[in-house]
Amino acid sequence: SQQGEEDPQALSIQEGENATMNCSYKTSINNLQWYRQNSGRGLVHLILIRSNEREKHSGRLRVTLDTSKKSSSLLITASRAADTASYFCATVLLTGNTPLVFGKGTRLSVIA
Amino acid sequence: GAGVSQSPRYKVAKRGQDVALRCDPISGHVSLFWYQQALGQGPEFLTYFQNEAQLDKSGLPSDRFFAERPEGSVSTLKIQRTQQEDSAVYLCASSLGAGVTYEQYFGPGTRLTVT
């Protein structure tokens, strides 16, 4: 079963615009991670935010986490055609050597 | 340095055949995970190894699925008597340590098509 759900399922924007994707999850977490997956390629780790953090930045990426609402958002600023990919949030539960629990992903298309 | 590698990248099997998928993790990585990704879905956990010990196999969908990591490095996921519903991309990931805070590094996956 998948804990996270991304919203929207698909997003199409023009190059230079910002893209925002949201993720909701069900149970308490240790951390939440965002991954990118290009067609035919593996998953690439983008950013990790811990449960005691509220916002994190990495280059053009900004991630927020609201543990009271069990939700996170990923903002990509000044998008480029190369950002076209599927984006997944993945949660790590509180205890143990737990695997990542992925959502179904948001398919982002950036049109040049 | 070398990342996680998987072989074969593509595999076509006739229904009922057995298949073996290989994962070479990053050297020195303690933890190894297998995930299954159906078309249009996110990856779903199959099994987890810490060194050679299989600590969690709760995600394996049936007893036709078997995984091993006998020397704590290379891992093999075996699927016996493949069925059409086994068609998916199988992803392997490794991480340096054991525990929830270590980043997982993914391989490119093996796309299995069962005809």
Side-chain angles (χ1 to χ4, degrees):
Chain A
S1 63
Q2 297 185 305
Q3 131 126 302
E5 283 200 18
E6 288 88 344
D7 168 53
Q9 289 188 350
L11 179 61
S12 183
I13 59 173
Q14 297 288 328
E15 205 168 32
E17 293 181 337
N18 296 343
T20 299
M21 289 158 268
N22 302 297
C23 167
S24 59
Y25 58 92
K26 296 173 187 170
T27 60
S28 296
I29 60 171
N30 176 284
N31 66 72
L32 184 145
Q33 303 176 32
W34 285 90
Y35 284 80
R36 181 183 70 221
Q37 186 175 42
N38 297 95
S39 177
R41 298 175 67 176
L43 285 157
V44 174
H45 181 266
L46 295 176
I47 198 164
L48 180 154
I49 186 165
R50 293 184 170 78
S51 60
N52 61 353
E53 297 175 310
R54 291 297 166 257
E55 188 171 313
K56 207 159 182 182
H57 297 254
S58 176
R60 294 184 296 112
L61 305 180
R62 173 178 168 255
V63 168
T64 62
L65 179 65
D66 186 336
T67 52
S68 66
K69 294 181 179 176
K70 292 188 169 59
S71 68
S72 173
S73 68
L74 170 67
L75 168 67
I76 304 174
T77 59
S79 63
R80 306 167 182 167
D83 295 329
T84 295
S86 289
Y87 291 82
F88 295 91
C89 71
T91 52
V92 176
L93 301 182
L94 276 176
T95 59
N97 300 317
T98 56
L100 294 167
V101 182
F102 286 86
K104 293 185 179 181
T106 292
R107 283 168 291 286
L108 173 66
S109 297
V110 181
I111 303 163
Chain B
V4 178
S5 60
Q6 292 185 245
S7 61
R9 291 291 311 275
Y10 302 91
K11 177 71 180 176
V12 178
K14 290 198 167 131
R15 191 161 61 100
Q17 280 185 332
D18 298 348
V19 298
L21 313 179
R22 178 186 168 108
C23 172
D24 283 81
I26 294 172
S27 177
H29 276 199
V30 167
S31 297
L32 186 146
F33 301 82
W34 283 98
Y35 295 84
Q36 179 191 59
Q37 186 175 20
L39 189 64
Q41 303 292 314
E44 292 205 9
F45 169 73
L46 293 177
T47 187
Y48 163 65
F49 290 86
Q50 186 177 316
N51 296 307
E52 68 277 4
Q54 189 175 22
L55 298 187
D56 187 344
K57 52 182 180 179
S58 61
L60 294 177
S62 76
D63 58 8
R64 296 185 296 103
F65 287 70
F66 171 77
E68 60 183 4
R69 193 186 185 200
E71 296 177 1
S73 56
V74 171
S75 176
T76 304
L77 176 67
K78 297 178 180 177
I79 309 173
Q80 296 176 323
R81 304 180 304 282
T82 52
Q83 304 293 316
Q84 281 194 316
E85 62 262 28
D86 300 335
S87 294
V89 175
Y90 291 84
L91 296 167
C92 174
S94 69
S95 65
L96 181 60
V100 298
T101 59
Y102 287 93
E103 178 181 339
Q104 293 185 27
Y105 295 84
F106 282 80
T110 294
R111 181 177 297 278
L112 172 66
T113 304
V114 181
T115 60

